[in-house]
Amino acid sequence: MEDHKIIELYWARSQQAIAESEAKYGPYCRSIARGILDRAEDAEECVNDTWFRAWNAMPPQRPNILSAFFGKLTRNLSLDRWRKERAAKRGGSQVEVALHELEGCLPDHRRPDEELEASETAALISAFLRAQPELDRRLFIRRYFHLESIAALTERFGLTESQVKSRLHRTRQKLKLALEKEGIAV
């Protein structure tokens, strides 16, 4: 089913919206959740929560890109669950490693104007990524949005571990410079 028809089902408050979302985007959302969470049961629960959140968000929201909307919901729900589990365990998972890699090139958001700066920073990062070569952009998004492991990236893109790490490092360095150039304290 086409995305606009699925959105119309949500707006019409039809239960079929959830079934159609699951059929079209379930595997995509599961792959995001499984990349963040260790347990398949937790990932499945986050995907189910994605449909619930979507149900509550539409209306009033009308997403432009349904896959991105569902992906972001799933990612945020999965990260929330991961943080909750991490607080209890204090382990060093793949997610923690990926987020730690980004710390050096993203600004610290503890100032009062944090919301405004966060949206400006997000726009700058988006523009920066659009200007990068496709492979570097895809690696960056897969690593830092989907939180895929280095091993998964090497397999997905047919690169060596060293090539993936090097490309990610160079992209992070370029991002840091681009943000600093725009006056964002990193």
Side-chain angles (χ1 to χ4, degrees):
M1 178 177 281
E2 293 181 35
D3 287 356
H4 73 276
K5 290 181 181 178
I6 294 173
I7 293 169
E8 289 305 320
L9 290 172
Y10 277 102
W11 276 69
R13 308 312 285 163
S14 170
Q15 291 289 326
Q16 186 184 356
I18 294 171
E20 295 294 339
S21 298
E22 171 62 39
K24 187 168 183 180
Y25 293 108
Y28 168 67
C29 291
R30 268 184 212 79
S31 72
I32 293 171
R34 284 189 194 132
I36 297 170
L37 300 167
D38 294 330
R39 295 176 5 141
E41 300 84 17
D42 290 342
E44 191 62 36
E45 196 171 316
C46 284
V47 172
N48 290 335
D49 289 347
T50 297
W51 312 139
F52 177 71
R53 288 267 175 98
W55 182 265
N56 289 331
M58 291 185 278
Q61 286 185 314
R62 190 176 288 272
N64 291 328
I65 304 170
L66 198 54
S67 61
F69 178 74
F70 288 146
K72 185 174 182 180
L73 286 175
T74 303
R75 179 181 182 272
N76 290 342
L77 288 163
S78 298
L79 283 172
D80 288 347
R81 179 167 291 234
W82 174 81
R83 285 184 190 104
K84 185 176 165 185
E85 289 174 3
R86 180 176 168 248
K89 294 181 190 175
R90 293 287 179 218
S93 72
Q94 182 62 38
V95 174
E96 190 169 6
V97 172
L99 295 176
H100 179 70
E101 288 172 2
L102 273 179
E103 282 178 1
C105 66
L106 293 179
D108 183 5
H109 287 106
R110 286 179 243 185
R111 295 181 303 278
D113 59 345
E114 133 183 336
E115 287 302 316
L116 176 60
E117 188 170 316
S119 64
E120 290 173 354
T121 302
L124 289 170
I125 292 170
S126 292
F128 168 81
L129 288 173
R130 281 191 296 276
Q132 298 308 301
E134 182 179 355
L135 178 58
D136 292 340
R137 179 177 58 248
R138 291 178 67 203
L139 281 168
F140 192 91
I141 290 169
R142 285 277 169 193
R143 178 68 173 152
Y144 302 117
F145 183 82
H146 295 284
L147 298 166
E148 286 187 15
S149 68
I150 298 295
L153 294 172
T154 62
E155 187 176 318
R156 179 184 296 275
F157 294 102
L159 301 168
T160 66
E161 182 177 323
S162 177
Q163 288 172 318
V164 170
K165 286 181 176 180
S166 178
R167 284 180 169 276
L168 288 171
H169 177 75
R170 284 193 305 267
T171 305
R172 286 193 314 269
Q173 292 303 105
K174 286 192 261 180
L175 173 60
K176 181 179 180 180
L177 290 173
L179 292 174
E180 287 173 343
K181 183 179 175 185
E182 292 295 326
I184 304 290
V186 179

